[in-house]
Amino acid sequence: MSTPRTLRLPDGVRRVTVETARGPFAALEAMPAAGVAERQPALLIPGYTGSKEDFLPVLGPLAQAGRRVTAIDMRGQYESPAAADADGYRLPALAADVAMIADALNGPDGPAAAGGPHRIHLLGHSFGGLVARELLLAQVAQIGSLTMMSSGPGALTGPRAAVLRAVLAELEPLSPGGPAAELEPVSPGGLAAEVKRLWDTLLEPAAIADGVPADVIDFLRTRMLRSCPTGLWSMGHGLLGCPDRTPALATLGAPLLVVYGENDDAWAPSIQDEMAQRLSAQRVCIPGAGHSPAVEAPETLASTLTTFWNSVENNRGRR
């Protein structure tokens, strides 16, 4: 899981609720110090088991480049309300949620560009990258660019995939005599109890062993136990079973950036590099970072994103 190093809200960052036709979503919003956003806005989507707080170190620097930056909790994550059932956590449903959030940020209360609404810059981290890609493919929102950060072309691979399979196996008993493909989640109450058991026996001891500060561990515990257990189950399966949609994305011709840490242990850097080539996307490998560049290399990431977003806007302005 992505682990923030501090929970202090930077100057200029505030907690907000984004109201949409699909319900409310918890968010963190950063504005330029002058209060005027001259650049196009950005929307940041966290990964599996993550939340808006994963972007705390980069919100301020990104906003100071002149844009409104919003990081969200997806449906069922931490402080955003849960879906009615597991279907609400499938990629199309999550993408529809994010489309509504993007529309809300571009609406009457959002920044307006000369001659029409801003095209929002979309960034998805890990599983959030798969959701962001789904939204771009659906072409249901005004999207200016897509950044896939520490994300991949399809299903999760490598050691993290093995860990996730083991975790999901703990959350779902085998149907009597049925194959794994026919697994159904246990009841929400049973799932919640299993999530708490996993936190108590595995995740919290690992965080303590890693030297994570006590206040951050308290936050991670609260985030895990407040997140919808059905969402954890459903999104986990989505992460393991997502098809490779790189060819479809490549046909759109949208401005794309693939950014990842050189030590990423989810999708291997070589897989993300190959994806960038298939997409004809810009590619940036961040030295010293792993799977969470926003936490591990915030200055480099903020600079990378600002350079990319500004170039997209400048190129569009010359057309």
Side-chain angles (χ1 to χ4, degrees):
M1 75 183 83
S2 186
T3 303
R5 291 176 179 169
T6 178
L7 300 171
R8 184 184 69 83
L9 288 187
D11 294 339
V13 177
R14 63 179 185 140
R15 297 186 180 276
V16 298
T17 300
V18 182
E19 299 287 349
T20 79
R22 292 175 66 88
F25 293 86
L28 293 172
E29 178 188 78
M31 290 287 290
V36 178
E38 299 177 347
R39 291 283 187 176
Q40 294 176 2
L43 175 58
L44 315 181
I45 307 171
Y48 180 65
T49 74
S51 67
K52 58 194 178 301
E53 286 76 13
D54 297 339
F55 299 106
L56 273 172
V58 298
L59 290 176
L62 291 174
Q64 291 317 305
R67 58 176 41 90
R68 178 190 187 188
V69 184
T70 306
I72 63 167
D73 293 341
M74 286 192 290
R75 185 174 300 280
Q77 287 185 322
Y78 190 27
E79 294 180 319
S80 286
D85 53 38
D87 287 341
Y89 300 105
R90 301 191 190 281
L91 285 173
L94 295 172
D97 289 340
V98 177
M100 285 290 183
I101 295 169
D103 285 346
L105 297 177
N106 278 333
D109 297 326
H118 274 301
R119 287 181 173 269
I120 200 163
H121 295 293
L122 197 59
L123 177 145
H125 174 224
S126 193
F127 179 70
L130 303 179
V131 174
R133 181 184 67 182
E134 192 79 14
L135 168 55
L136 194 62
L137 288 169
Q139 301 186 61
V140 291
Q142 293 284 326
I143 304 300
S145 72
L146 169 62
T147 297
M148 296 186 70
M149 183 176 79
S150 306
S151 193
L156 183 65
T157 60
R160 287 203 179 212
V163 171
L164 180 54
R165 288 191 188 92
V167 167
L168 291 177
E170 295 289 330
L171 297 181
E172 55 191 12
L174 283 170
S175 301
E182 297 176 359
L183 288 172
E184 295 290 340
V186 297
S187 68
L191 273 176
E194 286 301 309
V195 169
K196 185 177 187 304
R197 184 182 66 80
L198 282 171
W199 170 262
D200 291 340
T201 61
L202 178 64
L203 299 177
E204 183 171 28
I208 293 171
D210 288 341
V212 177
D215 63 325
V216 176
I217 291 178
D218 288 343
F219 162 75
L220 294 175
R221 177 190 303 110
T222 301
R223 180 172 74 177
M224 178 65 70
L225 299 184
R226 284 187 63 176
S227 294
C228 175
T230 301
L232 292 172
W233 179 88
S234 185
M235 287 189 280
H237 279 281
L239 193 50
L240 291 175
C242 180
D244 185 341
R245 303 198 68 189
T246 304
L249 183 60
T251 65
L252 297 183
L256 303 172
L257 170 65
V258 174
V259 59
Y260 53 88
E262 67 173 344
N263 300 317
D264 198 335
D265 61 349
W267 289 274
S270 60
I271 291 176
Q272 297 182 64
D273 179 64
E274 180 187 16
M275 178 179 70
Q277 294 181 45
R278 293 168 62 197
L279 291 170
S280 298
Q282 294 189 38
R283 177 196 68 87
V284 175
C285 178
I286 298 181
H291 189 58
S292 300
V295 173
E296 298 148 352
E299 298 86 359
T300 303
L301 178 63
S303 175
T304 297
L305 292 174
T306 297
T307 298
F308 172 62
W309 291 339
N310 287 353
S311 70
V312 170
E313 294 168 28
N314 294 340
N315 289 338
R316 182 172 291 117
R318 287 195 291 266
R319 292 175 185 172

